[in-house]
Amino acid sequence: MSESHCLIKKRFRGYFPVVVDVETAGFNAKTDALLEIAAVTLKMDEQGFLHPDKTFHHHIEPFAGANLEKAALEFNGIDPYCALRGAIEESEAMKELCKDIRKEQKIADCQRSIIVAHNAAFDQGFVNAAIERSNIKRTPFHPFVSFDTTTLAGLALGQTVLIKACMAAGIEFDQKEAHSALYDTQKTAELFCYIVNKWKTLGGLELDQ
C-alpha cells in the first residue's frame, strides 16, 4: 500500500470519501426517478494534499412506476426516454457503481465509503433508495454519515451555492454545464479538495498524531 493511501485513511479515520451528485425527476427519493449519477473518488499525495482521482458516471432509466415531475425535468433538461442518453437500468448502474467504489475503498484500506455532496442529504437519500430498490446487500456507503460541502463552503468561503462557492475558491465554473451530474460532481470534488487543503495550509489536522 502506498504512503498516500495510508494518509487518506488516517485523514478521515478509516472513511473513504466519494464525491457524488445525482440528477432526478423530483425531490422524493422513494417515488421519483433517479436519472443520472456520477461519483469521483479522491487521492492524497505524499504531502497530504487531496486531489480528485477516478470518475464513474451513469445515465439511468426510470425505475418501474417512477414518478416524473415535469418541473424537475424542465429544470435539469433531461428527457428520460431519449435513446441518445445511453441510459441503463437502475439496478445495473448501482451494482456497477458499488462494485467500483468497493474496489477503490479496498485499495485505500478504508472500512467504509462516505458520500461527499453539495446538500448531501438529498443525494444520499436517492443513493440509499436506489440501492434498496436494487437489492444490494453489500453497499460500500455509510447509510447516514456524509460530508456536506454546502456546510463546509459556508464555513470556509461564506457561500453555500455551488457556483458561488467555486468562484470564491477560484475554481472555474461554466454555468451552462451546471445540472449535469458529471459536471457538478467534478466541481464539488474540486471544492471539497480546496477546503480540505486550505485547512491543511492553515495548520489544520496533523496526520502523524
Side-chain angles (χ1 to χ4, degrees):
M1 187 190 307
S2 68
E3 180 183 353
S4 59
H5 280 135
C6 290
L7 288 176
I8 199 169
K9 177 183 176 181
K10 289 181 180 179
R11 179 61 181 82
F12 302 107
R13 72 172 200 88
Y15 282 133
F16 183 62
V18 180
V19 186
V20 172
D21 189 76
V22 300
E23 294 297 330
T24 70
F27 295 103
N28 189 323
K30 295 292 186 182
T31 61
D32 299 339
L34 172 62
L35 300 175
E36 184 185 4
I37 188 167
V40 174
T41 58
L42 306 175
K43 61 183 178 181
M44 187 166 278
D45 63 28
E46 287 76 8
Q47 287 73 45
F49 289 101
L50 202 61
H51 307 276
D53 191 15
K54 296 180 181 177
T55 299
F56 305 96
H57 178 230
H58 298 286
H59 291 286
I60 299 173
E61 298 171 355
F63 64 88
N67 181 52
L68 302 171
E69 291 290 337
K70 182 180 178 182
L73 299 180
E74 289 175 350
F75 179 75
N76 57 36
I78 295 175
D79 177 356
Y81 300 108
C82 176
L84 297 177
R85 293 177 65 225
I88 60 177
E89 289 186 0
E90 182 181 77
S91 61
E92 180 184 353
M94 298 310 297
K95 287 173 182 176
E96 187 171 332
L97 178 64
C98 287
K99 179 181 177 182
D100 289 333
I101 297 305
R102 276 198 304 271
K103 179 180 177 181
E104 298 303 312
Q105 173 187 301
K106 183 177 181 181
I107 292 172
D109 195 31
C110 288
Q111 300 167 354
R112 203 77 186 266
S113 293
I114 181 170
I115 287 177
V116 181
H118 209 71
N119 298 313
F122 178 83
D123 300 86
Q124 189 172 47
F126 272 89
V127 170
N128 286 345
I131 285 174
E132 183 178 352
R133 283 191 297 267
S134 302
N135 261 337
I136 297 171
K137 305 303 181 186
R138 291 184 58 226
T139 171
F141 298 108
H142 196 290
F144 56 85
V145 177
S146 64
F147 292 150
D148 182 12
T149 53
T150 313
T151 304
L152 294 172
L155 171 66
L157 298 161
Q159 299 289 346
T160 57
V161 177
L162 180 59
I163 183 173
K164 291 183 177 180
C166 286
M167 291 173 65
I171 298 168
E172 291 185 7
F173 197 105
D174 185 349
Q175 194 162 7
K176 292 179 291 187
E177 296 289 336
H179 310 306
S180 151
L182 180 58
Y183 188 79
D184 286 358
T185 305
Q186 291 167 339
K187 291 302 165 182
T188 303
E190 291 181 45
L191 178 62
F192 181 68
C193 290
Y194 171 87
I195 294 171
V196 172
N197 293 339
K198 185 69 173 180
W199 176 247
K200 174 178 170 58
T201 62
L202 292 173
L205 184 67
E206 294 292 335
L207 296 183
D208 58 355
Q209 288 180 345

